[in-house]
Amino acid sequence: MKSHKAKEAGVRTLRPDVVAQLGPAASSSKAARHAQPTFDDLHARITTRAYELYVQRGRREGCAMEDWLDAERQIVSREFPG
């Protein structure tokens, strides 16, 4: 039942045999899961930021790629500082 709810929520979990192969680093606590954003989280944040940039720039048509790339750059640099 628990895994069914996880699937509905879009949460991906590792199989126990994969966790065993990867070792202790693969077992994640709640804090570790929240510390590393998932692809879906990043995609949603980039989408939202790209729309914000689109609005801020006066809803310019034909600049979707520029808005997306700028949003992606901003979000990724915040999530994964170099």
Side-chain angles (χ1 to χ4, degrees):
M1 185 72 166
K2 191 174 187 179
S3 63
H4 181 67
K5 287 183 180 181
K7 285 181 182 179
E8 288 177 2
V11 176
R12 295 181 181 152
T13 58
L14 292 175
R15 296 187 331 241
D17 59 323
V18 173
V19 172
Q21 289 176 354
L22 296 173
S27 60
S28 58
S29 65
K30 286 184 180 181
R33 283 193 300 259
H34 292 294
Q36 295 184 355
T38 65
F39 172 79
D40 294 334
D41 293 339
L42 286 174
H43 188 270
R45 290 178 188 176
I46 293 167
T47 301
T48 301
R49 182 62 185 142
Y51 181 76
E52 291 169 352
L53 291 172
Y54 166 73
V55 171
Q56 287 175 2
R57 294 173 176 169
R59 300 175 188 259
R60 294 181 306 174
E61 294 296 322
C63 298
M65 182 64 75
E66 181 182 350
D67 294 337
W68 180 269
L69 293 174
D70 287 344
E72 184 179 53
R73 195 174 305 112
Q74 291 172 10
I75 298 298
V76 169
S77 68
R78 278 188 236 146
E79 297 294 328
F80 305 100

